[in-house]
Amino acid sequence: MAAVWQQVLAPFNRARGHRRSVSRGSYQLQAQMNRAVYDERPPGSLVPTSVAEASRAMAGDTTLSENYAFAGMHHIFDQHVDSAVPRLQFANDDKHLLACCSLDGTLSIMTLSPPPASVKVTLKGHGGPVTDFAWSLSNDIIVSTSLDGTLRIWNTEDGRCIREVRDPESSELLCCTFQPMNNNLTVVGNSKHHLQVVNISTGKKVKGGSSKLTGRVLSLSFDAPGRILWAGDDRGSIFSFLFDMATGKLTKAKRLVVSEGSSICSISARSWISREARDPSLLVNACVNKLLLYRVVDNEGTLQLKRSFPIQHGSQLVHSIFCPLMSFRQGACVVTGSEDGCVYFFDVERNTKAIVNKLQGHGGPVLDVSFNCDESLLASADSTGMVIIWRREQK
């Protein structure tokens, strides 16, 4: 493994000390094993209130804790066992299609229905650990980055590699994301501190679509319209860039130092738009033993800290997400991995006792989490290579 990435991923190797013996079969557990109910607090102004009849009808007439109560493990995948799974993600607007990447150099596309859950196709071709990937909007393509210095474009139906794009600096590629309004364009971050916009149809760099950060680029996220891009590095900085939709040009706008020398592992943007409230926000994991929620205060992506939530996170590449149906609920929930092997749910509107639920079952630090589109299933991945599918309780 390349020395530069060894420094970033060294905690993965230290975390493999113990893991549970598992099979690929389905696991049925009692609900109370992974359920933690806490006192409800009145929701704040960040999300729709009880007067939003349509929103309430979609979410159901239940409390936030009840909405995020889980019946246990639906399935466990261990095809990547003994190699960390740094990223996983359900396909867009899909209930049963899930993908993950592994430091063993491969990616897996898994299907959860019809039962039994299974690995649909394995994407093989990278010559080094796979660090990140992203689904296209139509789910027919996946792009992935690797320490082998390549961006690969895959056909998700048959697992065929459509195109290989080498980094022009021959450096390790650490993260990637699609431009949400133009899936011909992908933004890639590398170990030499550079961002680059790539046209995946041609395999060429976009002129003016590059910039430099203060450290290795570890995380990327666009706002929903695709006009602002945030990028985080391993020196503790988050940069915002303005994206020119016509040309693909990047213009550096703002910089926030979250914590000098700490890795910005995960950035997720959310517009939080509804009839009752709009509060564009950024969810950040930054190796400071806290999950951070920022408010986006202007059109240049300036960030202002709104809330923080205690988690165990000092060195691993831990990620977090906004819940897909958040805008339709009273209260607002986010989910994060943690180095203690647990998955945490937080209501960002509670002033006290913000934990809504806590799931236990992983044998190592939980690195990533992903909900399917209707929140009936949650997937989580850890540093031992285990992927757990959690089933929400049916009401």
Side-chain angles (χ1 to χ4, degrees):
M1 188 183 296
V4 68
W5 190 245
Q6 279 185 325
Q7 181 181 344
V8 178
L9 289 186
F12 283 156
N13 299 320
R14 296 197 297 269
R16 295 177 187 166
H18 84 283
R19 71 174 174 87
R20 305 182 323 152
S21 176
V22 298
S23 72
R24 292 181 174 84
S26 295
Y27 286 68
Q28 303 295 330
L29 301 181
Q30 297 297 316
Q32 56 264 36
M33 289 181 64
N34 292 304
R35 187 175 179 182
V37 179
Y38 298 84
D39 293 336
E40 289 292 331
R41 293 292 183 268
S45 59
L46 188 62
V47 293
T49 62
S50 58
V51 300
E53 297 300 330
S55 298
R56 284 202 303 137
M58 185 170 182
D61 221 3
T62 53
T63 66
L64 206 64
S65 289
E66 289 171 329
N67 272 311
Y68 293 110
F70 283 76
M73 298 180 189
H74 175 68
H75 194 86
I76 293 178
F77 290 98
D78 63 353
Q79 68 270 20
H80 298 294
V81 74
D82 291 330
S83 292
V85 173
R87 300 306 310 271
L88 84 168
Q89 185 183 358
F90 275 97
N92 295 300
D93 298 320
D94 197 289
K95 295 181 182 180
H96 302 118
L97 198 60
L98 174 72
C100 68
C101 64
S102 171
L103 299 189
D104 66 11
T106 67
L107 300 93
S108 297
I109 299 176
M110 299 152 281
T111 181
L112 306 180
S113 182
S118 61
V119 177
K120 176 185 174 183
V121 64
T122 301
L123 310 182
K124 298 180 179 179
H126 277 298
V130 184
T131 53
D132 198 7
F133 74 95
W135 291 92
S136 67
L137 193 60
S138 57
N139 297 326
D140 58 338
I141 285 174
I142 279 179
V143 295
S144 61
T145 54
S146 171
L147 297 189
D148 66 7
T150 66
L151 172 76
R152 284 180 177 258
I153 299 95
W154 308 89
N155 182 312
T156 59
E157 195 59 38
D158 58 15
R160 179 171 48 91
C161 181
I162 302 170
R163 187 183 299 276
E164 175 185 316
V165 182
R166 292 210 158 267
D167 182 76
E169 299 180 293
S170 300
S171 60
E172 299 91 346
L173 299 184
L174 310 182
C175 56
C176 60
T177 189
F178 274 107
Q179 214 292 335
M181 295 294 106
N182 183 356
N183 275 192
N184 277 326
L185 302 180
T186 299
V187 183
V188 180
N190 73 19
S191 61
K192 293 186 178 179
H193 310 182
H194 284 105
L195 281 180
Q196 180 64 58
V197 181
V198 177
N199 186 320
I200 63 170
S201 295
T202 64
K204 303 296 184 181
K205 298 189 302 180
V206 173
K207 186 177 180 180
S210 62
S211 190
K212 190 170 185 178
L213 277 62
T214 53
R216 295 186 283 267
V217 187
L218 300 181
S219 50
L220 299 166
S221 184
F222 274 101
D223 66 349
R227 298 190 187 97
I228 304 175
L229 171 70
W230 288 275
D233 65 25
D234 67 348
R235 302 286 180 87
S237 292
I238 299 175
F239 291 83
S240 66
F241 297 87
L242 304 182
F243 189 92
D244 188 312
M245 303 294 287
T247 65
K249 181 181 178 181
L250 288 175
T251 302
K252 190 179 291 185
K254 301 292 182 179
R255 178 192 178 193
L256 171 71
V257 180
V258 176
S259 178
E260 194 71 43
S262 296
S263 293
I264 308 298
C265 306
S266 173
I267 302 175
S268 297
R270 182 70 179 257
S271 296
W272 300 45
I273 298 174
S274 76
R275 291 174 300 171
E276 288 76 25
R278 185 185 187 279
D279 196 355
S281 302
L282 217 64
L283 191 64
V284 175
N285 294 85
C287 295
V288 292
N289 289 311
K290 293 177 183 178
L291 177 64
L292 305 172
L293 180 67
Y294 288 92
R295 178 181 287 116
V296 182
V297 299
D298 59 27
N299 291 330
E300 291 191 333
T302 302
L303 302 176
Q304 181 182 78
L305 185 64
K306 179 179 176 63
R307 292 288 306 276
S308 65
F309 308 92
I311 61 169
Q312 188 173 318
H313 182 204
S315 60
Q316 308 267 349
L317 299 181
V318 170
H319 297 81
S320 58
I321 56 168
F322 290 101
C323 293
L325 300 183
M326 186 188 312
S327 298
F328 303 104
R329 301 187 184 282
Q330 294 188 7
C333 201
V334 297
V335 186
T336 183
S338 177
E339 290 175 0
D340 63 3
C342 298
V343 177
Y344 289 93
F345 298 69
F346 292 102
D347 182 350
V348 301
E349 283 299 283
R350 293 188 188 182
N351 293 322
T352 59
K353 297 184 178 180
I355 296 179
V356 173
N357 202 350
K358 173 183 175 181
L359 303 180
Q360 303 177 74
H362 282 280
V366 179
L367 305 179
D368 203 6
V369 288
S370 180
F371 259 121
N372 67 353
C373 62
D374 68 352
E375 297 184 350
S376 60
L377 297 171
L378 175 77
S380 53
D382 68 28
S383 62
T384 73
M386 184 187 298
V387 173
I388 298 179
I389 312 300
W390 309 87
R391 186 183 71 255
R392 205 176 70 180
E393 286 185 353
Q394 300 298 313
K395 299 299 178 183

